[in-house]
Amino acid sequence: MEITLIPAKSGDSVLIKTESSLMLVDAGYVSTYENYIKKILRDEGKALDLVVCTHFDQDHIGGMIPLVKKETNIEKVWFNGFYQFFSVDRKEQLQFSEKRKLSIEFNYLEEDFNSDLRISRTQGEQLSNLLELNPKIQVNEEVSNKVISSESSSIEINDFSIEIISPDKKSIDKLKENWSKELANVINRNTKSCEPEIVQAFENYQRLQSLERENAILDICGNLLAFSEILNEEPSSFESSVINKASISFILRAKEKSFLYLSDTDDEQIFKYLTEHQYTYFDVIKLSHHGSSRNNWKWIDFVKSDKFLISTDGKKHTNHPSLNVLAKIVINNPKCHLYFNYKIDEVKKFLDYNIKKYDFQYTFPKKDELIRIKVGE
């Protein structure tokens, strides 16, 4: 198994290659696709056996629309979109006034952080509809086009298997409930319409929810440089975003090697699933929510690994990654290796200060370098 950490600014995008399969998880921003994913796929020269879109945060889904529109070799997509969440009546129509209300209430200006790109979402660009209208791509086929969740059995594709650890039913039901209430408040009725305006509103609703900025829990601070001191700074609260709770996280297994991919799932949901199943070791773990301590805390005390992946440029949030999370990982996993897809000067300074006392390694990319982790060789 080979894992490529694609530079996605404050977001996520990971390519997983097994002996005979190719899988992409999330696509960062539009610029992530244009600057990296497009070339990587050309160099690979083979079809994507599976694309997983974990949830609607813009830093995960932004590059998905150009990916789906431009790439012709995509076999399967896992995506919990409008048509997976809801039963629809294709004959039911919205009134013009209702369409106008939806357009105003759920207007969304897409941002591609660290660039000048700002795109206003237009009709016809809903990922749900792009996938629905593409007969070549199978969407959530393994669960009959329903929602991918932790209730799904372990799914085998080619030479790998995937076990879903989130979202759970509670998180799915909560997102559906919140949206249904929001929609009824805007158009003053319930509806099963699937006209483009309502699909767009559902997608934009989730994007707007994800724009709420979390407060910094542990700012990068020169007064707290020792691992032993920084561990006292526990999170004051844990992730409560309904959108992040509904994100797809999973365990991928190939040739007796395991990769725990934590999207933006909350700490409690991760801890609950792993402890209930008594999973205590994975060959590789990608941290949840770019290393935030709100999503990575209790489970770190229960699970071990030799390799940890952190995907962020550290610019959108001052606590991505949280330094206390890095300290906790290193102390709990002697000789472990931390991999980053961007060099973050403050994080490097923090790790360098502690590396003589603690036995661990870290890797930041050099200029224009992609971080690739080989597992099982």
Side-chain angles (χ1 to χ4, degrees):
M1 187 193 311
E2 182 181 87
I3 301 164
T4 303
L5 266 179
I6 300 172
K9 298 180 179 174
S10 59
D12 276 356
S13 185
V14 172
L15 188 77
I16 305 167
K17 184 161 61 171
T18 62
E19 193 171 276
S20 61
S21 304
L22 196 64
M23 172 180 174
L24 180 72
V25 187
D26 288 329
Y29 294 99
V30 173
S31 61
T32 310
Y33 171 76
E34 295 294 345
N35 296 338
Y36 295 100
I37 296 174
K38 185 163 60 175
K39 182 180 185 307
I40 289 170
L41 295 181
R42 297 294 177 273
D43 291 344
E44 290 293 339
K46 59 186 293 189
L48 277 166
D49 298 281
L50 177 64
V51 173
V52 179
C53 180
T54 62
H55 64 302
F56 267 95
D57 272 5
Q58 194 56 40
D59 55 357
H60 295 248
I61 201 176
M64 280 290 172
I65 286 178
L67 176 81
V68 170
K69 289 171 76 172
K70 296 179 182 180
E71 299 297 332
T72 57
N73 285 334
I74 299 174
E75 300 290 336
K76 298 173 183 285
V77 170
W78 286 3
F79 169 63
N80 290 338
F82 183 84
Y83 297 98
Q84 288 69 47
F85 272 106
F86 306 105
S87 58
V88 300
D89 181 351
R90 296 181 185 275
K91 294 181 180 180
E92 184 179 345
Q93 295 184 337
L94 297 172
Q95 298 176 8
F96 176 79
S97 60
E98 292 174 330
K99 293 180 181 181
R100 189 169 183 273
K101 287 177 182 178
L102 289 171
S103 177
I104 293 170
E105 185 68 26
F106 299 107
N107 182 47
Y108 175 79
L109 187 65
E110 180 179 328
E111 295 184 32
D112 198 335
F113 282 89
N114 308 325
S115 77
D116 296 327
L117 185 60
R118 291 171 68 85
I119 304 167
S120 182
R121 277 275 164 234
T122 58
Q123 291 181 17
E125 287 192 323
Q126 309 92 355
L127 183 55
S128 296
N129 279 342
L130 285 173
L131 291 170
E132 181 76 4
L133 297 172
N134 190 330
K136 295 181 179 179
I137 298 178
Q138 303 165 8
V139 181
N140 293 11
E141 179 194 34
E142 292 79 5
V143 292
S144 303
N145 200 29
K146 300 299 183 184
V147 171
I148 294 279
S149 76
S150 58
E151 295 191 344
S152 312
S153 335
S154 182
I155 299 169
E156 293 190 9
I157 300 176
N158 300 342
D159 60 343
F160 64 89
S161 66
I162 295 182
E163 179 179 346
I164 307 298
I165 72 171
S166 75
D168 58 16
K169 186 177 184 302
K170 180 180 177 182
S171 301
I172 293 166
D173 290 345
K174 185 63 177 175
L175 176 54
K176 291 171 69 173
E177 177 190 349
N178 286 7
W179 163 247
S180 297
K181 287 180 179 177
E182 193 79 25
L183 177 61
N185 285 338
V186 173
I187 64 173
N188 298 316
R189 69 180 179 97
N190 296 317
T191 177
K192 288 190 174 182
S193 171
C194 61
E195 289 200 79
E197 292 83 3
I198 206 161
V199 178
Q200 188 70 72
F202 175 63
E203 295 192 2
N204 283 358
Y205 163 73
Q206 294 180 79
R207 290 184 175 99
L208 290 164
Q209 293 291 306
S210 73
L211 285 179
E212 296 178 7
R213 299 290 189 258
E214 64 177 272
N215 294 324
I217 298 149
L218 185 64
D219 221 337
I220 293 170
C221 174
N223 294 325
L224 288 174
L225 281 176
F227 282 175
S228 56
E229 293 177 308
I230 215 164
L231 273 180
N232 295 326
E233 298 291 331
E234 294 193 9
S236 56
S237 64
F238 290 94
E239 178 61 59
S240 59
S241 162
V242 173
I243 309 305
N244 285 346
K245 282 177 179 287
S247 64
I248 298 173
S249 290
F250 58 85
I251 303 163
L252 184 144
R253 296 183 176 91
K255 281 198 168 181
E256 299 183 351
K257 298 300 177 181
S258 57
F259 177 24
L260 176 61
Y261 185 95
L262 303 175
S263 179
D264 281 1
T265 305
D266 61 294
D267 184 75
E268 187 60 42
Q269 201 172 172
I270 298 167
F271 179 78
K272 181 175 183 291
Y273 190 94
L274 297 180
T275 53
E276 284 180 354
H277 290 76
Q278 290 296 300
Y279 292 146
T280 58
Y281 177 82
F282 298 95
D283 293 286
V284 188
I285 298 176
K286 189 206 78 72
L287 298 190
S288 179
H289 207 195
H290 322 291
S292 167
S293 59
R294 292 175 68 174
N295 303 71
N296 306 276
W297 199 252
K298 289 200 301 182
W299 71 261
I300 296 175
D301 291 324
F302 188 77
V303 177
K304 307 293 183 186
S305 183
D306 300 318
K307 298 177 175 67
F308 293 86
L309 316 184
I310 300 97
S311 177
T312 183
D313 61 2
K315 293 181 178 179
K316 184 178 175 183
H317 297 295
T318 56
N319 62 319
H320 287 183
S322 296
L323 301 186
N324 51 353
V325 169
L326 302 182
K328 192 170 189 177
I329 287 171
V330 170
I331 289 173
N332 285 6
N333 298 270
K335 301 184 183 299
C336 72
H337 197 136
L338 308 176
Y339 295 88
F340 300 82
N341 59 349
Y342 285 92
K343 182 183 177 184
I344 305 171
D345 290 336
E346 293 87 348
V347 172
K348 185 177 186 304
K349 177 183 177 183
F350 169 68
L351 296 177
D352 284 343
Y353 184 87
N354 287 279
I355 201 164
K356 292 180 181 179
K357 182 175 180 181
Y358 297 91
D359 190 5
F360 71 98
Q361 298 179 59
Y362 66 77
T363 297
F364 292 104
K366 298 175 183 176
K367 186 179 180 181
D368 299 325
E369 178 188 23
L370 291 175
I371 295 296
R372 289 188 167 96
I373 301 97
K374 294 189 176 183
V375 188
E377 294 187 3

